[in-house]
Amino acid sequence: MFACEHCCTKMNKMIHTRDLIKRYKTDNYSTDALININIDINKEEFVAVAGPAGSGKTTLFNILGLMVKPDSGEVWFLDKKTSNLWDKELTNLRKGKISYIFRHFNLIDELTVYQNIELPLIYLKYKKKERKEALSQILKKLKIEHKKEMFPNQLTGLQQQITCIARAVVTKPSLILADDPAGNLNSEGGREILELLTDVNEDGHTVVLFTSSAAEAEKARRVIQLFDGHVVTDAKKDNFII
Ligand code: ADP
Ligand code: MG
């Protein structure tokens, strides 16, 4: 009943948007941040949304992440129409299904690496034993076991962002959105984060990476180019070799 009536092959669709518009209004002027955005993202895709500063990436990140509503247009997430949902319903829809990675690592300073990664599992009411198992797996997989008792301010930026990736994937979400996750790292650190996101995608998670770096966008299988709020190109790499 809530699925898109027109176009999507429903079973395989993660995100489907139609004619998204978002405008920021201040006293003196308004900015068209997104103009008629039509995007379809399938399950298990690794998509980069690329564009210079001000092109609308963070606005789109917030809207696809169901944190902000567009002024008009529609977002379907896993075939569910979202414009008519209340905040609480949106929270429930996001819960455990969408994870976010930000440029400014946003770990909780007072919690250890272990506790930071455990937090979403507590929120989702995992039992203690399940949390322990999930943590043990993810710490091993991301090679940060030896950092688990440390606090964020004892870590490098790269280690903090790896912890954020661990926290994002530990709940096994359907969709991972990353807004400029390497923006605070040097090129070496950035490469490592991109490799991790590629691994995460290969494990079956849908990944959407928002970036102003062409080199980072290159790592994705599909690049949607934004400019001044418009999608200017949307290209898939057929012969993609990692
Ligand atoms: P990007 O992430 O690509 O840098 P943004 O989505 O942050 O792009 O911004 C898109 C446009 O919207 C820019 O022109 C920006 O200045 C404007 N903008 C973003 N957030 C706000 C806001 N809260 N109020 C007013 N203008 C905004
Ligand atoms: Mg941004």
Side-chain angles (χ1 to χ4, degrees):
M1 183 175 163
F2 289 113
C4 163
E5 310 86 39
H6 340 281
C7 28
C8 49
T9 49
K10 297 183 176 67
M11 298 314 287
N12 202 27
K13 199 69 66 184
M14 177 65 60
I15 295 171
H16 174 62
T17 80
R18 277 299 164 265
D19 301 327
L20 293 183
I21 292 182
K22 181 71 185 174
R23 183 170 291 137
Y24 295 105
K25 293 186 197 81
T26 57
D27 288 346
N28 301 322
Y29 61 92
S30 75
T31 305
D32 291 330
L34 295 176
I35 304 149
N36 292 334
I37 302 292
N38 294 300
I39 291 177
D40 292 281
I41 295 174
N42 287 330
K43 291 177 184 168
E44 301 187 9
E45 274 201 277
F46 182 5
V47 180
V49 176
S55 56
K57 301 182 299 296
T58 296
T59 304
L60 188 57
F61 168 88
N62 288 328
I63 290 176
L64 297 188
L66 310 181
M67 293 183 283
V68 167
K69 284 196 173 177
D71 294 331
S72 65
E74 188 58 76
V75 179
W76 282 261
F77 174 64
L78 291 171
D79 294 330
K80 197 163 174 64
K81 187 174 174 173
T82 62
S83 64
N84 49 351
L85 299 180
W86 298 96
D87 285 351
K88 199 167 173 209
E89 294 172 305
L90 283 174
T91 305
N92 282 334
L93 186 58
R94 287 194 303 254
K95 201 170 166 181
K97 295 204 190 73
I98 307 181
S99 287
Y100 310 87
I101 300 167
F102 301 90
R103 174 190 174 121
H104 299 287
F105 320 124
N106 86 324
L107 294 165
I108 297 178
D109 290 340
E110 293 75 23
L111 300 181
T112 63
V113 164
Y114 189 99
Q115 291 165 334
N116 265 286
I117 301 170
E118 189 183 28
L119 208 55
L121 297 176
I122 294 174
Y123 178 62
L124 292 171
K125 298 191 167 42
Y126 277 55
K127 296 197 170 69
K128 195 170 179 183
K129 186 163 171 268
E130 294 167 337
R131 298 202 303 265
K132 211 171 155 188
E133 273 171 25
L135 259 292
S136 153
Q137 275 180 25
I138 200 75
L139 289 167
K140 217 170 277 167
K141 188 160 193 167
L142 297 189
K143 302 189 180 70
I144 47 170
E145 236 174 345
H146 59 300
K147 302 285 178 197
K148 68 181 180 186
E149 297 307 333
M150 291 195 173
F151 290 89
N153 66 8
Q154 297 173 301
L155 303 176
T156 64
L158 174 60
Q159 289 162 347
Q160 288 186 57
Q161 197 59 308
I162 293 173
T163 305
C164 292
I165 292 178
R167 184 183 55 182
V169 298
V170 74
T171 55
K172 302 196 188 318
S174 315
L175 173 64
I176 295 174
L177 299 171
D179 190 12
D180 197 12
N184 263 341
L185 303 173
N186 62 20
S187 58
E188 181 64 32
R191 258 196 301 279
E192 195 161 326
I193 292 302
L194 264 292
E195 274 168 30
L196 282 179
L197 290 177
T198 305
D199 291 347
V200 163
N201 170 249
E202 282 169 3
D203 284 344
H205 299 283
T206 309
V207 177
V208 186
L209 163 74
F210 296 77
T211 180
S212 53
S213 153
E216 285 175 26
E218 273 294 298
K219 305 276 188 232
R221 289 167 192 271
R222 173 179 164 201
V223 181
I224 296 171
Q225 190 78 41
L226 274 187
F227 192 76
D228 283 353
H230 295 271
V231 171
V232 286
T233 58
D234 182 350
K236 261 187 189 154
K237 296 178 202 164
D238 291 333
N239 302 313
F240 188 82
I241 300 166
I242 294 161

